[in-house]
Amino acid sequence: MLAMQHSNSSGITASFPLSNYTVVVQEPEVEAVVAHNATRPPGKPTAAGLTMTLGILFNVVALIILAKAYNRFRRRSKATFLLFASSLVATDLAGHVIPGALVLSRYSASSTSTGDPSSSFRGYIADPDASCLFLGGCMVFFGLCPLFLGCAMAAERCMGVTRPLLHARLVTTARTKMALTLIWLLALCVAVLPFFNLGAYTYQYPGTWCFIRVMEGTKATDLAFVMLFSGLALSSLGLAFVCNTISGITLVRARLKKRSCSQRCSARSHDTEMVVQLVGIMVTSCICWSPLLIFGLTSATRSYTNSLHSDRDTYRGLMVTGVRMATCNQILDPWVYILLRRAILRKIYRITKKQASFKGSTFRSIRWDASPFQNSEKNCVNKI
């Protein structure tokens, strides 16, 4: 999916001007509006391949760190959280590799194809092939999975912080694995709905990626599918926000009480670390996925009511911007866990504290050095 970002980015800036559209054909339900250069390859996908490789490396590094942490910590709550986090990073890795490889393959095919670009892109819209259908399903599946997992992790931590005894009795490793399986099955069921005539996947501008049909010829089933996809995703983000807020408030209250039990303080320290990581994941998901969800729903609604018209070019650009931001989620999720670990936060705190103490000592030394000069100056004035 990350490769999609670069191929689309290059296409927008170099080979696909948004103001250069021409109406090619009108049919009863489909108005194919395409660019002159809609399928011209924007150049060699070297940057896309490099970024995809770096994304794979980051996710693998995060998986290694999580695996070591899972073997080290045997506390049930921490182990459950690490199992969820490992599943999230593994899902991001798969969502980075599989759609990215498809986009690079489509990108390479476009770079070697010849013929009229306009008629070629029109053909893609009218008759998406099997690879487009699979890519569209991957976009929906790997889009919902991280949001569902983030919501489940937030709910699990909220129960662990507010109801620790109930959490210890209900949450087990076996039930956690069952919950993960149900999350993946739910996302898969939503992704395959277009194969049962509820919605449809089609090529999106500039022809290098596929998603739900939201621009040309949007039907009632397409609008219902977009509403389902966006509703589930936004509801997951909202529920994660509520759970993380409750967990944060509970931890702050416990911190203010200043309990003396060291074991309890250690447990609260682990809880604080996990909640901070969850907040980071939630914020990242909100920033990366909200634009695509909102732009897709708005585009489908306006296309269904035939009110796009002159704004079609604008919404095409918004959809490309949205998918670029969505692909960043899979590259940022592992870094959220890597950088927001307790060991890293402690190092940052110590460095910041040292810098602050150094500046304070320097300021005090300057004042100390300046005071003899001021005293001597006062003595000279008194003598005069």
Side-chain angles (χ1 to χ4, degrees):
M1 291 176 68
L2 189 60
M4 186 190 315
Q5 172 187 356
H6 293 275
S7 60
N8 287 345
S9 175
S10 300
I12 286 293
T13 56
S15 302
F16 309 109
L18 294 177
S19 61
N20 196 19
Y21 288 95
T22 304
V23 177
V24 175
V25 64
Q26 288 186 346
E27 297 177 0
E29 295 181 349
V30 179
E31 179 185 355
V33 183
V34 298
H36 289 305
N37 298 324
T39 57
R40 185 186 302 172
K44 296 181 179 180
T46 305
L50 177 61
T51 310
M52 183 177 175
T53 303
L54 291 176
I56 295 172
L57 177 63
F58 296 154
N59 281 277
V60 170
V61 170
L63 276 177
I64 294 173
I65 295 174
L66 284 165
K68 291 182 178 180
Y70 186 79
N71 292 328
R72 189 185 319 119
F73 293 99
R74 292 301 178 183
R75 286 184 65 253
R76 181 176 298 177
S77 60
K78 184 68 175 178
T80 302
F81 175 82
L82 292 174
L83 185 58
F84 270 119
S86 301
S87 302
L88 174 62
V89 175
T91 304
D92 282 336
L93 178 61
H96 191 78
V97 173
I98 297 175
L102 291 173
V103 170
L104 285 178
S105 175
R106 173 75 196 105
Y107 190 85
S108 301
S110 297
S111 65
T112 58
S113 63
T114 57
D116 183 21
S118 299
S119 61
S120 178
F121 188 66
R122 183 182 67 183
Y124 296 150
I125 296 177
D127 188 21
D129 53 13
S131 63
C132 176
L133 299 178
F134 181 70
L135 178 57
C138 287
M139 287 285 294
V140 172
F141 176 78
F142 291 113
L144 288 176
C145 278
L147 302 180
F148 287 167
L149 287 171
C151 179
M153 293 167 69
E156 184 268 337
R157 273 299 83 212
C158 183
M159 180 185 293
V161 171
T162 58
R163 297 289 185 270
L165 296 179
L166 180 63
H167 177 272
R169 187 170 66 253
L170 295 181
V171 179
T172 62
T173 302
R175 289 176 178 174
T176 302
K177 293 179 180 179
M178 186 182 300
L180 289 171
T181 303
L182 291 176
I183 287 172
W184 287 323
L185 285 177
L186 177 59
L188 180 62
C189 290
V190 176
V192 299
L193 286 178
F195 297 97
F196 296 94
N197 297 324
L198 180 58
Y201 296 123
T202 185
Y203 279 102
Q204 304 291 327
Y205 176 84
T208 54
W209 63 292
C210 295
F211 194 55
I212 307 169
R213 184 166 53 194
V214 296
M215 296 296 296
E216 283 85 16
T218 304
K219 302 178 182 179
T221 53
D222 299 321
L223 181 60
F225 185 46
V226 173
M227 293 177 66
L228 176 64
F229 173 71
S230 300
L232 288 173
L234 293 173
S235 298
S236 299
L237 291 173
L239 184 58
F241 175 78
V242 172
C243 292
N244 289 328
T245 302
I246 295 174
S247 300
I249 293 174
T250 305
L251 289 174
V252 169
R253 287 179 177 177
R255 185 75 174 179
L256 293 176
K257 289 181 180 179
K258 296 181 179 180
R259 296 180 178 179
S260 58
C261 180
S262 61
Q263 184 178 0
R264 188 63 181 169
C265 290
S266 177
R268 290 295 180 185
S269 178
H270 282 288
D271 290 335
T272 303
E273 177 189 17
M274 290 184 282
V275 170
V276 168
Q277 291 170 351
L278 285 175
V279 170
I281 292 173
M282 180 194 66
V283 172
T284 302
S285 299
C286 286
I287 294 174
C288 293
W289 274 103
S290 294
L292 182 62
L293 297 173
I294 295 173
F295 296 156
L297 184 59
T298 307
S299 301
T301 303
R302 296 197 61 181
S303 177
Y304 179 69
T305 57
N306 295 321
S307 58
L308 273 179
H309 301 303
S310 60
D311 295 332
R312 192 181 300 272
D313 300 351
T314 303
Y315 277 95
R316 277 203 175 113
L318 292 176
M319 287 295 294
V320 173
T321 302
V323 77
R324 291 181 197 169
M325 296 183 66
T327 55
C328 294
N329 186 65
Q330 296 159 340
I331 200 72
L332 294 177
D333 273 347
W335 280 108
V336 169
Y337 178 78
I338 292 172
L339 295 178
L340 295 183
R341 289 179 298 152
R342 186 170 54 171
I344 302 297
L345 293 176
R346 280 180 176 176
K347 290 180 180 179
I348 295 175
Y349 174 74
R350 289 172 183 172
I351 293 173
T352 305
K353 189 175 180 180
K354 286 182 180 179
Q355 292 292 332
S357 61
F358 175 76
K359 290 181 179 179
S361 61
T362 304
F363 179 73
R364 286 193 298 270
S365 64
I366 292 174
R367 291 185 61 185
W368 180 264
D369 293 340
S371 59
F373 175 76
Q374 292 175 354
N375 292 333
S376 62
E377 194 175 34
K378 289 180 180 178
N379 293 334
C380 293
V381 171
N382 292 331
K383 289 181 180 179
I384 294 175

